Amino acid sequence: MSNKEDQGKKGWKDIPIGGKITEAGSACKYKTGGWKTFKPEIDRDECINCLFCWLYCPDMAIELKDNEISRVNLEYCKGCGICEEVCPKKCVRMVKEER
Ligand code: SF4
Ligand code: SF4
């Protein structure tokens, strides 16, 4: 029996490889919404529905309904501000999230 087994610890061969994604759809299980300090607000009157924000959002937090922006899913939005940056109409504004 090795020293590690004596201590009830796993050896390096028993530990899963870090950062390895072993199944499809695993991002759905990891809600990144708790990271944010700011959240996006979309001015629907100015929005031209170009879908840039939807395309560039790294967390797919911007949801569509009938091919139009429907809502920002705040459970997954991490507040990175990319949607604000790419919006050609400047109608996405990052606002401080109240907790
Ligand atoms: S702030 Fe970032 S994560 Fe949130 S909706 Fe915009 S692009 Fe997506
Ligand atoms: S990037 Fe701006 S204009 Fe385009 S769909 Fe998003 S909010 Fe609307």
Side-chain angles (χ1 to χ4, degrees):
M1 190 175 281
S2 78
N3 213 10
K4 282 199 169 77
E5 285 168 333
D6 287 344
Q7 298 165 13
K9 294 178 182 170
K10 287 183 178 178
W12 67 270
K13 288 182 181 171
D14 306 316
I15 299 171
I17 299 170
K20 189 171 183 181
I21 297 169
T22 56
E23 58 181 285
S26 58
C28 294
K29 295 177 187 166
Y30 194 69
K31 296 185 176 173
T32 48
W35 297 5
K36 68 181 163 310
T37 308
F38 290 87
K39 65 178 180 181
E41 279 186 359
I42 300 173
D43 181 347
R44 304 299 175 113
D45 294 333
E46 291 296 318
C47 174
I48 56 172
N49 206 46
C50 69
L51 306 186
F52 276 18
C53 54
W54 171 79
L55 184 66
Y56 283 97
C57 174
D59 289 283
M60 296 302 289
I62 297 175
E63 297 179 350
L64 304 183
K65 188 175 181 191
D66 299 327
N67 292 325
E68 292 193 3
I69 302 292
S70 149
R71 68 170 188 143
V72 178
N73 187 334
L74 296 176
E75 286 194 326
Y76 293 98
C77 168
K78 62 186 170 198
C80 65
I82 290 174
C83 49
E84 180 186 56
E85 193 66 32
V86 299
C87 176
K89 292 291 286 179
K90 300 293 172 211
C91 60
V92 181
R93 196 169 61 97
M94 298 300 288
V95 297
K96 188 126 185 182
E97 185 175 54
E98 304 295 330
R99 292 198 184 245

